[in-house]
Amino acid sequence: MPPNRAHIPYIFMLAALMSVPAFADATVKVSLRDMGGTMDMSQNLGLGMGMKGDMSKGMMSVSVDQASVPAGKVTFEVVNESKETQHEMLVAPVASLDAKLPFVEAEMRVDEEASGDLGEVSELDPGKSGSLTLDLKPGLYILYCNIPGHYMSGMWTTLEVK
């Protein structure tokens, strides 16, 4: 039976809605690691944020399974792969790869409030995991551990949100 003429606009509207792509939420797998050894602080690790440094010389690291994700809901699945050390992961927006986070020398950590911290997976014991979901706008974000001394030991990475 042909559709009722009164229903035709609704049929076109339904067809249009069905053709809109569904946006899936993004999931980023984050690994927090100790890399062992000693670090030569005279080496350029890009500690101010600039990515020109050689992060392989760091004693600790934050790594992600993807360098960029689409804007919207992003879930960070964080695993502390350390065997001995507690770690955490914070997320903050940064203006560029050359941006400097507000670092408090006396505490050997980033000033979380001044950094624009958006959320965190609090201290994770070795082998433990946690997650954080944020609604992120396009831009550049830093993921870092803020336990004293960890950020300066190379424990940060960036994520681009497009």
Side-chain angles (χ1 to χ4, degrees):
M1 177 167 128
N4 181 329
R5 287 184 188 257
H7 293 125
I8 291 177
Y10 297 107
I11 292 171
F12 284 116
M13 193 166 42
L14 181 60
L17 287 173
M18 290 173 58
S19 67
V20 173
F23 293 100
D25 296 342
T27 299
V28 177
K29 294 184 186 302
V30 182
S31 298
L32 310 176
R33 294 187 183 107
D34 299 338
M35 297 174 359
T38 58
M39 180 173 61
D40 179 355
M41 290 301 284
S42 68
Q43 299 297 317
N44 179 13
L45 298 179
L47 295 173
M49 275 292 302
M51 295 302 287
K52 298 174 182 87
D54 181 359
M55 295 302 286
S56 70
K57 303 220 184 297
M59 293 186 336
M60 300 177 179
S61 72
V62 174
S63 62
V64 293
D65 68 340
Q66 51 195 319
S68 66
V69 294
K73 289 205 184 300
V74 178
T75 298
F76 297 93
E77 293 179 352
V78 183
V79 177
N80 181 0
E81 295 183 5
S82 171
K83 292 185 179 14
E84 301 175 356
T85 308
Q86 193 177 65
H87 293 299
E88 66 181 357
M89 185 215 61
L90 288 86
V91 179
V94 290
S96 72
L97 292 176
D98 296 323
K100 304 255 190 248
L101 291 183
F103 191 75
V104 181
E105 288 284 336
E107 297 177 13
M108 294 293 294
R109 58 195 302 269
V110 173
D111 180 336
E112 294 175 15
E113 187 174 315
S115 77
D117 168 37
L118 300 174
E120 71 179 275
V121 174
S122 295
E123 292 82 357
L124 293 171
D125 288 329
K128 299 296 181 186
S129 61
S131 67
L132 169 69
T133 300
L134 297 171
D135 192 7
L136 298 179
K137 295 182 168 112
L140 187 63
Y141 295 84
I142 183 170
L143 284 60
Y144 66 99
C145 180
N146 206 27
I147 291 177
H150 291 199
Y151 171 71
M152 292 300 286
S153 293
M155 205 160 184
W156 60 268
T157 194
T158 56
L159 177 74
E160 182 180 12
V161 177
K162 296 179 178 184

